[in-house]
Amino acid sequence: MNTILHSGLQQRDKAVNWHPYTQMKTADHAIPIVKGKGIYLYDDEGKKYMDVVSSWWVTLHGHSHPYIAQRVFEQLNTLEQVIFAGFTHEPAIQLSENLLQLLPSNQEKVFYSDNGSTAVEVALKMGIQYAYNQGQKKTKILAFKNAYHGDTFGAMSVSGKSFWTKPFESMLFEVIFIDTPNAENLECLQSQIKDLAEETACFIYEPLVQGAAGMLMYHAEDLNSLMKICREYGILMIQDEVFTGFGRTGKLFAANYLTERPDMMCFSKGLTGGTMPMGITTCTQDIYNAFLSDDRHKTLFHGHSFTANPLACTAALASMELLLKEETQMNIKRITHQHTEFAKILAFYPQVEKVRQIGTILAFDCKTGYSTSYFNEIGKKLYNEFLQRGIIMRPLGNVIYLVPPYCISAEELDVVYQNILEVLDKFKD
């Protein structure tokens, strides 16, 4: 019966669904998931999988968390949706108040949208129109090479050029890409920013970790130096914490590693604990004030049907409560420590290189004889091997990484580590 059901769901899925980042001609059938609990996902045949990538980096407290579910259920029976133009509601007000208390003190306003890409789109529009509203001809945007900020057109434009964006290259707006900073190139980058300042409206960046690029990491002090130059020369800074926010780096936000403060910040993924989609863009009072005018043409003309949806706001409030609990903070510290110790073990494996970690994010490259790439063929082999072992690991080509939910136990994490070592031994030849 289970086999028939499994096959039936897969056939029905293939008949109607187009999956993300998937070559549908060659891809294996999607695995039907019927239930989630804690770090585990269960398929329709009863097999359970450890979700150690937090289902694309969104699940903070585990699947089907009872507290979040109860809060959303109560809100669903009170108010499920209301237009956010001309109306407001308690969950949106409370969420904005609570979030702003945790962010750098210059963040004073919250704009709601639907996901990470839209949070970035909003920030870019704020940055460009900020200059426009004040009569400044500043239209250029700075971004890092290898960046990833989303898949909508604005977000694609400020993401590193790749096979993902190639079909649309002629349609993307102009962006100046610079290297991520380090001790060797910092002085050159600072000089480059100074030269571009007069025409540059904003600088967008993923702080400390470039996730989709392969969990590439760089130092907070180097980013601070770039931010200081941007501040000095009037370039607005957009800090994309869609991935790094809500504890992933070991601190609540990557901003907590920095002394310089951004002008705008973007959030999604872990914002609702992975329960439902939501995006947030925060900004300074100065940016907000640039849109205040008797001239209606200076309005920020942006919105979404589900802007500040009460259910999503409620899920985010519940998730934030859980995140700030001492137990969760201790779990984050414990995961961070376990990763650090495991990284020392990985360093002795000849088939491993570039072991890197910040907080609950651990990554390393598998040596394959080829350069590190999203299209490295070993990625699919590793993915399938881990699946057979009941572990959802989605390598970025030859880059293996862990971004587990914070509820994973020490014993469960050790099981994952052991399986990684076994897989490395299996693929060493």
Side-chain angles (χ1 to χ4, degrees):
M1 180 181 176
N2 285 339
T3 303
I4 295 173
L5 178 62
H6 198 73
S7 175
L9 284 175
Q10 288 180 329
Q11 289 175 0
R12 288 167 57 198
D13 176 79
K14 190 165 187 178
V16 295
N17 287 331
W18 190 345
H19 290 266
Y21 284 96
T22 302
Q23 175 45 258
M24 298 302 292
K25 182 176 181 178
T26 58
D28 295 330
H29 288 295
I31 298 171
I33 297 299
V34 298
K35 184 177 71 172
K37 192 68 177 174
I39 70 161
Y40 295 100
L41 292 169
Y42 298 80
D43 71 18
D44 58 331
E45 292 183 333
K47 181 174 180 178
K48 67 178 182 179
Y49 303 85
M50 302 173 81
D51 182 4
V52 296
V53 294
S54 297
S55 283
W56 252 340
W57 321 342
V58 304
T59 304
L60 298 190
H61 313 292
H63 295 282
S64 303
H65 195 284
Y67 181 64
I68 299 177
Q70 180 61 35
R71 290 284 302 276
V72 171
F73 175 75
E74 292 169 359
Q75 184 62 46
L76 187 60
N77 284 280
T78 305
L79 175 66
E80 86 300 344
Q81 167 66 0
V82 60
I83 182 174
F84 206 59
F87 296 87
T88 191
H89 53 84
E90 173 66 23
I93 298 168
Q94 189 66 61
L95 177 56
S96 295
E97 290 173 343
N98 291 6
L99 178 61
L100 290 174
Q101 288 179 8
L102 302 176
L103 298 180
S105 59
N106 67 334
Q107 300 298 296
E108 296 194 48
K109 296 294 180 181
V110 172
F111 194 101
Y112 287 97
S113 61
D114 293 352
N115 56 65
S117 294
T118 56
V120 166
E121 297 282 350
V122 170
L124 293 172
K125 290 174 79 170
M126 285 180 178
I128 295 294
Q129 193 174 340
Y130 173 86
Y132 178 86
N133 281 1
Q134 298 178 95
Q136 300 172 351
K137 293 184 178 180
K138 301 178 75 170
T139 58
K140 286 185 168 56
I141 297 171
L142 281 177
F144 283 140
K145 296 174 183 177
N146 299 312
Y148 175 78
H149 295 287
D151 294 329
T152 51
F153 264 79
M156 276 199 300
S157 294
V158 295
S159 297
K161 298 299 177 277
S162 67
F163 285 103
W164 299 353
T165 61
K166 192 171 183 60
F168 317 104
E169 275 185 2
S170 64
M171 306 174 76
L172 303 178
F173 50 74
E174 182 184 358
V175 174
I176 300 163
F177 291 97
I178 61 176
D179 293 319
T180 49
N182 56 50
E184 287 72 36
N185 68 13
L186 188 56
E187 189 173 329
C188 179
L189 290 177
Q190 290 172 323
S191 177
Q192 191 175 356
I193 290 172
K194 290 177 186 178
D195 292 341
L196 295 167
E198 189 173 336
E199 297 178 289
T200 302
C202 53
F203 167 42
I204 184 169
Y205 54 92
E206 299 160 276
L208 311 186
V209 187
Q210 293 183 300
M215 300 298 167
L216 304 179
M217 301 181 186
Y218 62 101
H219 297 297
E221 56 267 29
D222 295 327
L223 179 57
N224 266 328
S225 297
L226 289 192
M227 293 174 72
K228 184 175 280 189
I229 290 293
C230 287
R231 175 74 61 218
E232 182 180 346
Y233 284 84
I235 298 173
L236 298 177
M237 290 168 281
I238 302 170
Q239 188 153 304
D240 180 351
E241 294 231 23
V242 168
F243 172 42
T244 54
F246 306 102
R248 289 297 184 198
T249 64
K251 297 186 179 184
L252 280 179
F253 303 99
N256 295 102
Y257 288 91
L258 301 166
T259 54
E260 296 296 320
R261 301 179 301 178
D263 300 284
M264 291 162 275
M265 299 180 73
C266 303
F267 305 97
S268 188
K269 289 196 182 291
L271 173 59
T272 67
T275 305
M276 54 185 64
M278 170 169 268
I280 277 179
T281 307
T282 63
C283 70
T284 63
Q285 188 69 41
D286 178 57
I287 290 174
Y288 178 77
N289 287 346
F291 291 80
L292 300 181
S293 175
D294 293 326
D295 181 359
R296 291 184 63 192
H297 293 91
K298 292 188 175 182
T299 302
L300 177 62
F301 291 108
H302 191 100
H304 297 260
S305 300
F306 290 95
T307 295
N309 174 258
L311 300 178
C313 288
T314 299
L317 282 165
S319 177
M320 208 174 298
E321 284 183 51
L322 295 172
L323 178 63
L324 296 176
K325 283 181 175 290
E326 183 179 1
E327 178 184 4
T328 305
Q329 292 301 306
M330 292 302 294
N331 282 346
I332 290 172
K333 290 179 181 178
R334 189 251 308 155
I335 294 168
T336 299
H337 176 72
Q338 282 187 263
H339 278 354
T340 301
E341 294 304 306
F342 184 57
K344 295 175 184 176
I345 296 172
L346 286 172
F348 288 98
Y349 274 68
Q351 60 271 49
V352 169
E353 62 181 347
K354 299 178 182 176
V355 181
R356 49 205 182 270
Q357 181 221 346
I358 182 170
T360 68
I361 308 165
L362 173 67
F364 61 91
D365 293 7
C366 293
K367 292 182 182 178
T368 63
Y370 301 94
S371 60
T372 294
S373 167
Y374 177 83
F375 295 99
N376 193 304
E377 287 300 316
I378 198 174
K380 186 174 182 180
K381 296 175 182 176
L382 291 168
Y383 174 74
N384 287 330
E385 177 65 28
F386 283 113
L387 270 185
Q388 290 176 15
R389 294 165 176 263
I391 299 173
I392 299 176
M393 191 93 70
R394 191 179 167 86
L396 295 161
N398 60 312
V399 176
I400 291 179
Y401 68 91
L402 291 176
V403 185
Y406 305 146
C407 61
I408 192 169
S409 70
E411 294 74 21
E412 289 166 333
L413 199 45
D414 283 338
V415 169
V416 176
Y417 294 154
Q418 184 58 41
N419 274 275
I420 289 174
L421 297 181
E422 290 174 6
V423 170
L424 286 174
D425 285 336
K426 182 174 181 177
F427 282 82
K428 66 181 177 183
D429 297 325

